[in-house]
Amino acid sequence: EAKRQGRNTWHWYDGSDAQHGADYAQLRHDLMEAITQHQFVLHYQPILAAQSQTVSSYEALIRWQHPRRGLLYPGDFIPLAEQTGQIVAIGQWVLEQAAKDIAAFNQQSAGQQAVTVAVNISPLQFRRQGFYEELKRVLRVSGLAPELLELEVTESVLMMGADRTRGILNEICELGVQVSIDDFGTGYSSFSYLRDLPVHTLKIDRSFIRDIPANQRDSALLQGMIQMAHQLSLNVVVEGIETLEQYEFMRQHGADYLQGFYFARPAPLTW
Ligand code: C2E
Ligand code: MG
Ligand code: MG
Ligand code: MG
């Protein structure tokens, strides 16, 4: 727990503006090495079917084994990587590694229900020319069935330039790859994109769950979001389930899939 708290309070920038600039340059440089020196690792957190309580998919979550600073969490370096554009190379690595990991995992557990892998895709990566080709390449080299790959994008991605976004989504959809909207409810909250963009799943942000069941407004919002999703034939994942009460509440109110520390923390994939 100290580590998780630490990651929220830990700042790379610390001190004067000069120090700030130096640290920025250092981190940027370290990030370049991280890619070539294979310092990134993926942890996986299961997403469970609410009724059967069986694992339906694993979300890949990146960590950085920094040579001097120890294990760093995405909050420590993803924002900078987005700024510098390094997120594109990092994201490509994540996509390919996650697809290979889960293809191997499913092969090892042949005979059991195959699991899906959910990969977070940054806006830059998603909108880049060639993302579709990259996706096809990853499916080919990993041997993962397209239906077993799920891309998590945030609402902001869908709000940017509707035509281009629709084009990319249609291509992804034709491949058979699924798309879910991550951190749903925290973005610009215009529902217009839900009307006509091909997405499969709403992943409700954990800020709506934190004070459940005590907070009645949050309860009402959650129930409303679940109903709306179902009327649009979308699946609902609720993230951030930490207690038995939250689990029971979400199951009672019809959430399809659940994810959170109550079930499992992100960890290296083992089988
Ligand atoms: P996210 O995609 O919404 O992932 C869920 C985050 O919530 C993860 O944090 C996870 O460890 C945490 N979490 C899961 N269950 C619980 C819970 O019950 N309670 C609490 N308090 N937290 C929970 P993490 O791994 O630090 O990742 C943070 C964010 O970094 C992710 O949010 C995602 O937006 C981003 N991220 C992670 N991996 C990647 C990646 O490979 N590429 C990109 N572009 N972004 C990534
Ligand atoms: Mg996610
Ligand atoms: Mg999320
Ligand atoms: Mg989140």
Side-chain angles (χ1 to χ4, degrees), residues 4 7 45 59-63 73-74 78 82 87 94 120-122 152 182-183 206 239-242 259-261 266:
R4 294 205 63 81
R7 111 188 140 87
Q45 188 181 29
E59 179 174 8
L61 295 160
I62 195 171
R63 277 90 181 86
Y73 285 79
I78 292 287
E82 300 252 10
I87 190 66
V94 171
N120 294 285
I121 303 293
S122 101
E152 294 194 1
D182 205 353
D183 304 335
R206 71 166 189 267
E239 61 178 14
I241 306 288
E242 293 185 351
Q259 179 181 23
F261 295 169

Side-chain angles (χ1 to χ4, degrees), residues 56-258:
S56 139
S57 85
Y58 285 96
E59 179 174 8
L61 295 160
I62 195 171
R63 277 90 181 86
W64 179 5
Q65 192 61 62
H66 192 285
R68 294 180 311 281
R69 295 184 180 253
L71 194 68
L72 301 185
Y73 285 79
D76 299 329
F77 61 91
I78 292 287
L80 176 63
E82 300 252 10
Q83 278 177 46
T84 63
Q86 287 164 305
I87 190 66
V88 172
I90 296 171
Q92 279 179 358
W93 176 82
V94 171
L95 190 60
E96 180 168 342
Q97 190 61 45
K100 286 178 171 171
D101 283 350
I102 295 301
F105 180 88
N106 282 329
Q107 213 150 50
Q108 294 288 319
S109 47
Q112 283 168 291
Q113 182 71 44
V115 296
T116 302
V117 65
V119 179
N120 294 285
I121 303 293
S122 101
L124 214 61
Q125 191 185 2
F126 182 84
R127 301 181 60 76
R128 197 166 152 273
Q129 291 288 342
F131 179 62
Y132 173 70
E133 295 301 326
E134 177 64 15
L135 209 50
K136 284 205 296 194
R137 189 190 66 79
V138 163
L139 290 170
R140 194 174 59 242
V141 300
S142 66
L144 186 73
E147 295 73 26
L148 298 180
L149 178 61
E150 191 168 353
L151 306 180
E152 294 194 1
V153 299
T154 54
E155 287 169 278
S156 58
V157 168
L158 304 181
M159 305 289 295
M160 296 184 299
D163 284 348
R164 171 138 172 74
T165 302
R166 181 178 298 103
I168 301 170
L169 282 172
N170 283 337
E171 285 183 332
I172 292 172
C173 209
E174 276 164 27
L175 279 179
V177 171
Q178 315 231 44
V179 175
S180 44
I181 302 177
D182 205 353
D183 304 335
F184 182 75
T186 61
Y188 295 95
S189 295
S190 157
F191 293 144
S192 59
Y193 66 82
L194 287 179
R195 199 164 50 204
D196 47 19
L197 291 180
V199 297
H200 303 84
T201 301
L202 296 190
K203 200 166 176 185
I204 298 175
D205 190 68
R206 71 166 189 267
S207 59
F208 294 99
I209 284 75
R210 196 168 38 221
D211 301 325
I212 293 287
N215 188 314
Q216 299 198 347
R217 299 184 76 85
D218 284 350
S219 303
L221 278 168
L222 269 167
Q223 292 175 57
M225 287 190 277
I226 292 170
Q227 279 173 25
M228 178 185 73
H230 285 166
Q231 280 167 10
L232 294 168
S233 303
L234 299 169
N235 284 317
V236 176
V237 180
V238 180
E239 61 178 14
I241 306 288
E242 293 185 351
T243 68
L244 175 64
E245 289 71 29
Q246 291 170 339
Y247 166 44
E248 284 175 338
F249 179 94
M250 293 326 312
R251 207 167 52 155
Q252 270 162 27
H253 291 94
D256 305 293
Y257 300 97
L258 304 173

Side-chain angles (χ1 to χ4, degrees), residues 25-36:
Q26 180 68 50
L27 177 57
R28 188 187 166 138
H29 172 263
D30 287 354
L31 265 177
M32 249 148 64
E33 295 219 310
I35 297 172
T36 58

